[in-house]
Amino acid sequence: MPIYDRRPSSEYEVVDRWDGGIGWFAHPTETGRRTSHAVVGEDGGVWLIDPIDAPGIDEELPALDDVRGVIVCSNYHVRDADVFAARHDVPVYCPPWLSRATSQLDASIEPETNTVGTSGFELRRCRPFPGWSEAIAYRGFDETLYVPDVLGTSPLFTVDEERLGMYLLCRFVPHRAVFEGLTPQRVLVGHGHGIFENASTALRTAPDGARRRLPTELRSNGWR
């Protein structure tokens, strides 16, 4: 099985479920464990974050609320944003500094760069090194953090006792500034299951131990 299965999805698996949303794998057996999320906004409505389409996934959404918009948070997470935007007749929110992503989107792109509509999420630019750009999404009212790529929980990101790990290339110079002042109760990620217990501790220890565990990460995942 390749790291990322590029074929159309034939099934999905809900891997995160809480009062305010769900997360799912559109390709449950792929190694990269790309995760999509549907999150209820501060004033209601559902916001889809970096979603990948799967047969039957739309049947999960009405139980949450009507879809209000799609959020793209990484240059490499356009995924099926256009598909969902067209199906639900909603706009896509993608910050202009994600130039690769915006160039690939056909849907109407809203000009929001900080607070995203009524979702409650504020976006912070993350540039761990030149050529890498993503948006960290955080909202204070329910202390939810979403990290698309720089951190994850899939086996490609974590080693030893890590619950939340930093991507291999980012471990050489761990990026901390973008997470300053954040104390999430839950951490959702673009690759893997979310963290719903002691999330702030996991967020703090991920960059703190990133360089120390770099040799182990190289041995475990460097070849991939």
Side-chain angles (χ1 to χ4, degrees), residues 160-204:
D160 297 335
E161 72 274 16
E162 290 179 336
R163 293 190 299 140
L164 181 67
M166 186 164 282
Y167 186 71
L168 173 61
L169 296 178
C170 299
R171 288 178 183 256
F172 290 91
V173 183
H175 196 62
R176 294 181 174 86
V178 72
F179 301 112
E180 286 183 359
L182 303 184
T183 56
Q185 292 299 308
R186 65 180 61 84
V187 177
L188 310 176
V189 293
H191 297 270
H193 293 71
I195 293 180
F196 295 85
E197 295 184 3
N198 299 318
S200 291
T201 300
L203 178 64
R204 183 177 64 254

Side-chain angles (χ1 to χ4, degrees), residues 63-210:
L64 298 173
D65 207 339
D66 297 329
V67 176
R68 298 275 183 86
V70 181
I71 309 173
V72 174
C73 287
S74 169
N75 263 331
Y76 299 95
H77 283 193
V78 170
R79 296 178 172 177
D80 291 319
D82 281 331
V83 173
F84 282 97
R87 184 184 298 158
H88 295 278
D89 192 24
V90 296
V92 174
Y93 291 74
C94 181
W97 34 268
L98 292 181
S99 56
R100 184 180 188 273
T102 56
S103 70
Q104 295 179 355
L105 287 165
D106 295 324
S108 172
I109 302 175
E110 292 293 321
E112 306 280 350
T113 58
N114 292 316
T115 302
V116 181
T118 59
S119 69
F121 282 108
E122 294 185 358
L123 303 183
R124 297 185 176 190
R125 187 173 186 176
C126 179
R127 289 192 66 196
F129 51 79
W132 181 308
S133 195
E134 65 182 80
I136 305 303
Y138 184 76
R139 62 186 190 186
F141 82 89
D142 66 348
E143 298 176 310
T144 296
L145 172 67
Y146 171 71
V147 185
D149 278 328
V150 70
L151 300 176
T153 63
S154 79
L156 288 175
F157 287 76
T158 57
V159 293
D160 297 335
E161 72 274 16
E162 290 179 336
R163 293 190 299 140
L164 181 67
M166 186 164 282
Y167 186 71
L168 173 61
L169 296 178
C170 299
R171 288 178 183 256
F172 290 91
V173 183
H175 196 62
R176 294 181 174 86
V178 72
F179 301 112
E180 286 183 359
L182 303 184
T183 56
Q185 292 299 308
R186 65 180 61 84
V187 177
L188 310 176
V189 293
H191 297 270
H193 293 71
I195 293 180
F196 295 85
E197 295 184 3
N198 299 318
S200 291
T201 300
L203 178 64
R204 183 177 64 254
T205 57
D208 286 350

